[in-house]
Amino acid sequence: MKKITFLVLLCTTSLTFVFANTFYVAVDGSDDNAGTKSKPFATVQKAQTVVQPGDTVYIRGGLYAMTEAQVAQTKRGYACVTYLDKSGVAGKYIHYINYPGEVPVFNYTAVKPAGLRVAAFYVTGSYIHLKGFEVTGVQVTISTHTQSECFENHGSNNIYERLSMHDGMAIGFYLLAGSDNLILNCDAYRNWDYFSENGRGGNTDGFGCHPAPGGKNNIFRGCRSWFNSDDGFDLINSSEATTFDHCWAFYNGFNKDFVSEGDGNGFKSGGYGLKKLGNEIPNPVPRNTIMFCLAVRNKANGFYSNHHVGGSNWYNNSAYRNGCNFNMLNRLRDTIQDVPGFDHVLYNNLGFKGGKEVQQLDAAKCTTANNYFDLKLDASESDFMSLDESLLTAPRKPDGSLPDIDFMQLKPGSRFIDKGKDIGFTFKGKAPDLGAFEWSQ
Ligand code: CA
Ligand code: CA
């Protein structure tokens, strides 16, 4: 008898360690349910109370009309509707993902807490994987300087994947702290705070990454940002370096009717809004990397150094029809004077039809090679397979990666094929091409 009890115990213990649990959230669920497929929970917040590292919460498709009564916590002046503070561990993420083939949409138009900012998902936990759902209609209720967010991250080693943040007044994704986070294949679009301050949505970026000290190695890959009233991707006030890899920014600084609103940069790499001597600047100054990215018709600059006090790395980017395609403007920390950009490294970049092409670049104080301006090659329409901007919002591939489109792909015979410098990335033909898309035929 004793032996049997021991065996049963052993099995139970082993099972606990070997098998992860699966829970369900559904529009017609209840938080009094057990969270099974037939008796799902109503909220992700409830699911968090039962999950352990390695567990998966499947979110069923449909429209989740979020309410103020669901606000889980108030913190730092934010009404955090869903507050995720339970962490997974390395190799055992906690997954909150869409049920395969279904699209959950969380709508926040009814969440208007007086005097509070709104964070639809406020994440302080680590080793969390969020995937495959939409956040829309996030509100701003404060009339003075403020902002709201679809996702605010403070944790580390999190994965934000295939999330769609759109048609609200909030920033899409916003990081203030945490390291080693991956923001993968997400879209932020048509976000505009038309209520606070002057109603121009001057804080409504698609993606903002502003890590505190220690927030290293955050990577944005395969993300798109368009028609956000401020910037597409913004790295102002960062203590650590960030990487943008294969991301697209277009039509930022405009509302969806192309009315001019906020700043309107595609990729804003750094800066501190430094206005007086003695303001604290990180040491070392972070060197951001922007590579294989595409910026199209952003109101101000496609690729912008934003008065940063150091250089960034700009590799294989393509810019088209931005107010200025590449603006490397820097600022001196010792005198707070704006100066042409120094310490930047620019390789293999390509621009066409900018209001201005390259501004504020002190080439003698930067490392530049094989860019279109170094080669003194002016692009023409005949260099490209297509310049049809409507392709930029094409549906993603089934795995969530960016669509394969002809936009700004080089045409056979283009003078930009094989004219790049080998800087260690995979290429086809004799040498890398210029711009974000390697010609493959
Ligand atoms: Ca901004
Ligand atoms: Ca090539």
Side-chain angles (χ1 to χ4, degrees):
M1 191 63 190
K2 236 180 187 176
K3 203 172 181 180
I4 293 169
T5 313
F6 175 74
L7 273 173
V8 169
L9 264 176
L10 191 71
C11 287
T12 317
T13 314
S14 306
L15 284 171
T16 309
F17 282 111
V18 171
F19 296 106
N21 293 305
T22 303
F23 299 94
Y24 294 83
V25 170
V27 169
D28 59 356
S30 162
D31 283 349
D32 294 329
N33 283 344
T36 60
K37 192 172 183 183
S38 58
K39 295 280 182 189
F41 295 132
T43 68
V44 169
Q45 194 66 46
K46 171 65 182 184
Q48 182 186 238
T49 64
V50 299
V51 290
Q52 296 298 321
D55 288 353
T56 295
V57 176
Y58 279 125
I59 308 168
R60 302 300 304 261
L63 182 65
Y64 293 78
M66 305 302 287
T67 66
E68 267 179 59
Q70 289 175 319
V71 172
Q73 189 161 154
T74 300
K75 189 164 182 175
R76 293 178 49 248
Y78 281 85
C80 309
V81 185
T82 299
Y83 188 85
L84 298 179
D85 59 349
K86 187 184 270 188
S87 297
V89 296
K92 282 190 177 180
Y93 278 73
I94 298 174
H95 305 270
Y96 300 95
I97 62 181
N98 66 309
Y99 187 77
E102 298 186 1
V103 183
V105 178
F106 293 91
N107 185 304
Y108 295 80
T109 49
V111 181
K112 303 184 75 154
L116 291 171
R117 299 177 174 202
V118 178
F121 287 81
Y122 194 103
V123 181
T124 63
S126 296
Y127 293 103
I128 295 172
H129 180 203
L130 298 163
K131 181 181 177 185
F133 55 90
E134 299 185 19
V135 170
T136 188
V138 178
Q139 301 291 300
V140 168
T141 64
I142 296 170
S143 61
T144 51
H145 184 75
T146 189
Q147 65 190 43
S148 289
E149 287 113 42
C150 298
F151 295 87
E152 178 164 326
N153 180 81
H154 293 259
S156 295
N157 299 98
N158 292 322
I159 301 173
Y160 294 83
E161 183 177 4
R162 222 177 168 182
L163 303 166
S164 189
M165 304 152 273
H166 64 97
D167 297 291
M169 301 167 75
I171 295 167
F173 175 86
Y174 190 71
L175 184 149
L176 283 180
S179 69
D180 301 282
N181 295 288
L182 174 63
I183 299 82
L184 179 65
N185 296 336
C186 293
D187 286 333
Y189 54 97
R190 294 192 304 253
N191 297 299
W192 171 30
D193 166 13
Y194 50 83
F195 181 71
S196 75
E197 292 181 288
N198 54 18
R200 294 180 65 187
N203 283 330
T204 321
D205 298 324
F207 298 83
C209 190
H210 321 278
K216 297 175 191 294
N217 199 31
N218 292 302
I219 298 175
F220 294 71
R221 181 168 289 136
C223 295
R224 292 186 295 194
S225 188
W226 71 95
F227 276 139
N228 297 295
S229 58
D230 205 46
D231 303 303
F233 296 81
D234 193 333
L235 298 178
I236 195 170
N237 295 331
S238 300
S239 293
E240 305 285 0
T242 294
T243 297
F244 294 130
D245 176 21
H246 287 88
C247 291
W248 299 354
F250 46 104
Y251 302 164
N252 295 294
F254 300 106
N255 71 16
K256 65 180 171 53
D257 300 315
F258 266 115
V259 175
S260 174
E261 301 297 345
D263 285 355
N265 298 290
F267 296 86
K268 182 188 272 187
S269 180
Y272 298 94
L274 192 58
K275 290 194 179 77
K276 59 176 195 256
L277 288 172
N279 283 16
E280 208 172 308
I281 297 291
N283 187 13
V285 175
R287 168 176 284 281
N288 301 304
T289 298
I290 301 92
M291 58 186 199
F292 300 97
C293 290
L294 174 64
V296 178
R297 203 177 166 187
N298 295 289
K299 185 176 73 180
N301 303 289
F303 296 92
Y304 183 38
S305 182
N306 191 37
H307 319 268
H308 199 43
V309 292
S312 289
N313 304 321
W314 313 82
Y315 307 145
N316 281 92
N317 300 297
S318 291
Y320 176 64
R321 281 185 86 192
N322 300 285
C324 174
N325 278 341
F326 295 89
N327 184 339
M328 296 292 114
L329 181 69
N330 279 11
R331 188 168 286 183
L332 296 173
R333 64 191 304 165
D334 297 334
T335 60
I336 28 175
Q337 296 293 308
D338 279 344
V339 291
F342 54 88
D343 289 347
H344 295 289
V345 178
L346 297 110
Y347 294 129
N348 305 343
N349 295 290
L350 174 58
F352 182 45
K353 278 200 173 171
K356 293 173 179 166
E357 288 299 330
V358 182
Q359 295 282 298
Q360 301 288 346
L361 172 67
D362 188 340
K365 291 182 180 166
C366 293
T367 304
T368 84
N370 300 63
N371 302 287
Y372 71 124
F373 51 87
D374 294 306
L375 302 175
K376 303 207 172 0
L377 282 178
D378 288 334
S380 72
E381 305 208 350
S382 62
D383 284 305
F384 304 103
M385 298 285 286
S386 170
L387 292 170
D388 176 2
E389 296 168 20
S390 71
L391 298 172
L392 295 169
T393 51
R396 289 175 172 276
K397 290 196 273 193
D399 68 356
S401 58
L402 289 167
D404 291 324
I405 57 173
D406 281 345
F407 185 84
M408 279 194 100
Q409 296 273 357
L410 299 174
K411 226 180 205 171
S414 165
R415 298 155 300 153
F416 299 104
I417 293 173
D418 290 349
K419 291 287 171 47
K421 179 182 170 68
D422 181 0
I423 52 173
F425 300 105
T426 309
F427 60 85
K428 289 162 185 149
K430 291 181 192 141
D433 305 344
L434 267 57
F437 307 105
E438 183 77 8
W439 185 62
S440 61
Q441 289 163 43

